[in-house]
Amino acid sequence: MAGRPRVAVFRPDDERLTDAVETLDELGVEAVADPMLAVEPTGSVPEPGDWIVFTSKTGVELAAAEGWSPAAARPGDAGNRPALACIGPSTADAADAVGWTVDLIPDEYSSTGLVAALRAVGVDGARVEVARSDHGSPVLLDGLRDAGARVHETVLYELVRPAGSGDAADAAAAGDLDGACFTSSLTVDHFLDAAAERGVREEALAGLNDAVVGCIGHPTRETAEGHGVAVDVVPAEATFRTLAESVVAELDA
């Protein structure tokens, strides 16, 4: 097992991190697990709408835990539930697991793709409720408003940096990191914040730029490049597996 490339992963410390570590192991690399996101629920639930949009598995699970469901989203209007849109298959699978019917999944698993899909089915004049974290991209809200929708956002949870994070920053600073998989702009920000907290920000940046850096989606890429990180790969499909496969393929190139 010794001598395998070391690739950092920053997913929350739950089954997502477990799955990411297993994926990297299957691909023949050693995962440097350094969670950069922790979830703090707000206790809020989605407000009524013609469409309810979920952008993450976490959002679905938290809304369900609060007793919310699409069927209850229009009190007194039984049988006329709102339509449900999910940004990708993992979010849709979570909705299916709690018994909700998903009406739309975009071909492109991103805010841009979701806007395009909703525009295609027609949301002009519709009330669209977006239920997500406190760090959601403005691309989704702005795009829906441009499509004529009346948009409301409910923050279901806040994303914070876990105490003690930053082992991957130390590894990068020491030149001991071969790759990194960033799954959101916030993971980039938190990685650099952790590096700064440990006094190795410039060294960690240099280490990243000697490694293969992969990002899910162009907003994440733009954030990384804005901080001076050279991004090597952005997979066409916005899933962790395709991100990991792209990074490992680049390592092997």
Side-chain angles (χ1 to χ4, degrees):
M1 301 293 285
R4 295 193 301 168
R6 305 184 77 227
V7 176
V9 57
F10 309 107
R11 309 223 76 183
D13 191 8
D14 53 25
E15 72 276 2
R16 286 167 291 187
L17 184 63
T18 300
D19 290 346
V21 170
E22 290 176 353
T23 296
L24 289 168
D25 184 64
E26 290 171 12
L27 294 171
V29 301
E30 177 187 347
V32 179
D34 191 8
M36 286 292 169
L37 299 176
V39 173
E40 292 188 353
T42 64
S44 298
V45 297
E47 293 194 4
D50 300 302
W51 281 90
I52 311 293
V53 175
F54 284 94
T55 63
S56 71
K57 174 178 180 287
T58 299
V60 169
E61 292 171 344
L62 290 176
E66 292 291 334
W68 183 90
S69 75
R74 285 179 174 165
D77 196 12
N80 187 24
R81 69 168 180 85
L84 189 65
C86 292
I87 202 165
S90 62
T91 307
D93 288 347
D96 182 68
V98 294
W100 303 348
T101 298
V102 177
D103 300 282
L104 183 145
I105 305 170
D107 292 332
E108 178 187 329
Y109 310 147
S110 67
S111 293
T112 301
L114 191 51
V115 168
L118 286 166
R119 184 187 288 273
V121 299
V123 291
D124 189 10
R127 178 178 172 83
V128 179
E129 168 72 359
V130 177
R132 59 182 186 172
S133 80
D134 63 327
H135 282 84
S137 167
V139 168
L140 179 55
L141 305 186
D142 293 345
L144 290 172
R145 291 187 179 113
D146 288 343
R150 295 177 289 121
V151 182
H152 181 268
E153 178 185 33
T154 294
V155 174
L156 302 179
Y157 58 101
E158 297 175 352
L159 291 169
V160 300
R161 180 165 62 90
S165 60
D167 288 348
D170 280 341
D176 195 24
L177 201 63
D178 299 291
C181 295
F182 289 105
T183 51
S184 68
S185 290
L186 201 55
T187 56
V188 178
D189 291 336
H190 283 181
F191 172 91
L192 293 172
D193 288 345
E197 191 174 86
R198 293 180 178 219
V200 295
R201 189 180 190 279
E202 294 307 314
E203 294 87 346
L205 265 175
L208 278 184
N209 288 332
D210 285 336
V212 174
V213 174
C215 293
I216 282 185
H218 292 289
T220 306
R221 177 180 197 155
E222 290 168 5
T223 298
E225 291 178 342
H227 286 299
V229 177
V231 177
D232 300 284
V233 293
V234 181
E237 183 178 302
T239 65
F240 181 80
R241 174 166 284 278
T242 55
L243 175 64
E245 289 172 346
S246 298
V247 168
V248 172
E250 188 72 14
L251 283 170
D252 292 339

